[in-house]
Amino acid sequence: MTMPPGLEADATRLREAMTKALTTDGVLAHPAWRRAVETVPRHRFVPGFYLPAGERDGQGMTVWEPVTAELDYGRWLAAAYSDTTLITQFDGDEVDWKQPGIRHGGAPTSSSTLPSLVLRMWADADVTEGHTVLEIGTGSGYSTALACENLGSANLTSIEVDPHRLETAANALFGLGYAPTLAVADGLYGYWPKAHFDRIVAACSFRAVPPALISQTRPGGKILLTLSGWLYGYARVLLSVGGDGTAEGQLLSGTVSFMSARTHAAPAFGNPAHWAAGLPETGHPAQHSPERITAATEEGFHLRFLAQSAVPEAQMTTIGEVVHLIDVITGSAATLTPGDGTWQVRQGGPVKLWDRIETVLSAYDAAGRPGPETFRLHIYGGGQHLRHPQMPGLPLPRP
């Protein structure tokens, strides 16, 4: 469609308001990043996206409404300049934005990350002009454009596993005069043709740190990425890379979630009732409530990540009031059912999933409930261990 004649003026006004809000919130302390936000037109990178309708359908699934300039100009432009993540793709399927439809459920697989998180990532990675940088997960291209505006295009490489997403981002970037190196590639393997890098920043999450990223970082360089897993626990880590294939760094405070790298996504586990049917008929009282790892709190998110490190192949789902843990790798399962002030645990298979989680929860309590920033990740000789001075080490899955 032909855009309204006042688009650029409207966009400038909203961009100024977003910049002011981010500055007030302390996100834009550095003048160079402030200038980048003031300059880069985010709307050029999100011609269409989905927003939740605020209600669920009859099956309990989220209803997603398409938003484009043609459908609702005001809503589209206001959302483009809000501090909101805008979903641009579900289940790896491209959307026909000329005729988009309402969606029911689905797994988001690409988005334009909320600006405050994008800026937080670049700031935490300590990226400065002159650094050679690899960005993993081009997505819409907005984050790439901010980096180009601040750091210049010459030393920036951005890779994206989805060729359609990269094409859309490239058109927007090149149309605005930005010229970073772009490539279709899986972030699990980095991008050797442009190695070595001073900084690697990932806009997706991994179950463990890919060894290729360590190999492609200069000694003394840094890697910023999000660790995740099949329990959907998340932690950010800033690693300093040694000259011998080792790396070490602390977890960063705060909560954040990124979509998993597609090769690290959780497998389907089938019908939880089938798994529960094979468990012993009787169980035992749980020492800890599963609500400790399901709570939507900072501590809950942190505990879920620690628990996930103890049972890296487990997945969790709740049906009614019953919490199910399912491990498709070992064939282990557990259920937790509430009743009379305690939870009853039934578990079976070679791995006692809830017992392992409770061991971590008890150690966490004994250590005084330490926050993320008190843990360090050590990578050496192919192993990756999360360590705390008062808790047993927790190995991450094999990369």
Side-chain angles (χ1 to χ4, degrees), residues 148-174:
C148 288
E149 185 65 37
N150 186 6
L151 309 171
S153 300
N155 291 330
L156 180 63
T157 298
S158 186
I159 61 174
E160 169 63 47
V161 71
D162 187 316
H164 298 292
R165 292 285 87 214
L166 188 66
E167 181 181 9
T168 300
N171 289 336
L173 287 163
F174 297 155

Side-chain angles (χ1 to χ4, degrees), residues 27-39:
V27 177
L28 285 174
H30 197 291
W33 288 112
R34 181 185 174 99
R35 286 193 297 271
V37 175
E38 288 174 334
T39 303

Side-chain angles (χ1 to χ4, degrees), residues 8-351:
E8 294 307 321
D10 291 341
T12 298
R13 173 177 52 81
L14 290 171
R15 191 158 60 248
E16 289 174 351
M18 183 177 76
T19 302
K20 182 177 180 180
L22 292 173
T23 302
T24 300
D25 291 341
V27 177
L28 285 174
H30 197 291
W33 288 112
R34 181 185 174 99
R35 286 193 297 271
V37 175
E38 288 174 334
T39 303
V40 176
R42 191 187 187 202
H43 70 277
R44 294 282 293 272
F45 296 90
V46 285
F49 47 84
Y50 279 92
L51 293 175
E55 60 183 16
R56 295 182 179 270
D57 64 14
Q59 284 71 47
M61 293 188 291
T62 300
V63 177
W64 295 92
E65 296 177 336
V67 181
T68 66
E70 187 171 25
L71 291 171
D72 189 331
Y73 170 78
R75 187 185 187 195
W76 166 73
L77 197 59
Y81 289 103
S82 65
D83 193 27
T84 305
T85 292
L86 306 173
I87 306 299
T88 54
Q89 186 191 73
F90 289 89
D91 304 315
D93 297 329
E94 282 300 300
V95 180
D96 179 2
W97 291 111
K98 294 180 180 179
Q99 294 182 312
I102 291 176
R103 291 192 61 101
H104 294 254
T109 48
S110 191
S111 68
S112 177
T113 304
L114 67 161
S116 62
L117 178 53
V118 169
L119 293 159
R120 182 174 158 197
M121 293 287 286
W122 287 122
D124 286 343
D126 191 26
V127 180
T128 60
E129 190 174 358
H131 279 154
T132 53
V133 179
L134 173 64
E135 178 190 39
I136 298 174
T138 313
S140 71
Y142 176 67
S143 172
T144 314
L146 290 175
C148 288
E149 185 65 37
N150 186 6
L151 309 171
S153 300
N155 291 330
L156 180 63
T157 298
S158 186
I159 61 174
E160 169 63 47
V161 71
D162 187 316
H164 298 292
R165 292 285 87 214
L166 188 66
E167 181 181 9
T168 300
N171 289 336
L173 287 163
F174 297 155
L176 290 168
Y178 302 121
T181 297
L182 301 175
V184 176
D186 189 331
L188 188 64
Y189 306 103
Y191 198 61
W192 279 108
K194 286 293 182 177
H196 289 79
F197 302 98
D198 295 305
R199 297 290 187 271
I200 295 180
V201 179
C204 61
S205 62
F206 298 95
R207 298 182 71 207
V209 181
L213 303 189
I214 298 172
S215 299
Q216 292 175 30
T217 304
R218 299 183 199 280
K222 296 180 180 181
I223 302 171
L224 179 69
L225 51 71
T226 301
L227 298 169
S228 66
W230 296 349
L231 287 185
Y232 297 101
Y234 297 88
R236 289 191 310 146
V237 63
L238 180 62
L239 294 166
S240 293
V241 176
D244 52 0
T246 63
E248 182 180 342
Q250 85 179 93
L251 301 189
L252 303 181
S253 60
T255 60
V256 65
S257 62
F258 274 113
M259 297 171 191
S260 295
R262 297 192 185 183
T263 45
H264 279 194
F269 54 74
N271 186 338
H274 296 165
W275 292 84
L279 298 177
E281 292 186 7
T282 58
H284 64 273
Q287 297 179 36
H288 296 274
S289 164
E291 294 168 321
R292 294 194 67 184
I293 63 172
T294 60
T297 62
E298 283 204 19
E299 184 179 59
F301 292 131
H302 176 44
L303 277 177
R304 194 179 312 161
F305 175 73
L306 298 180
Q308 171 182 279
S309 300
V311 286
E313 275 73 49
Q315 299 180 66
M316 180 171 58
T317 187
T318 301
I319 299 179
E321 293 184 308
V322 180
V323 177
H324 295 257
L325 290 165
I326 296 166
D327 180 343
V328 302
I329 306 299
T330 67
S332 304
T335 62
L336 292 102
T337 305
D340 296 330
T342 62
W343 290 77
Q344 290 294 313
V345 183
R346 294 189 301 139
Q347 49 190 349
V351 178

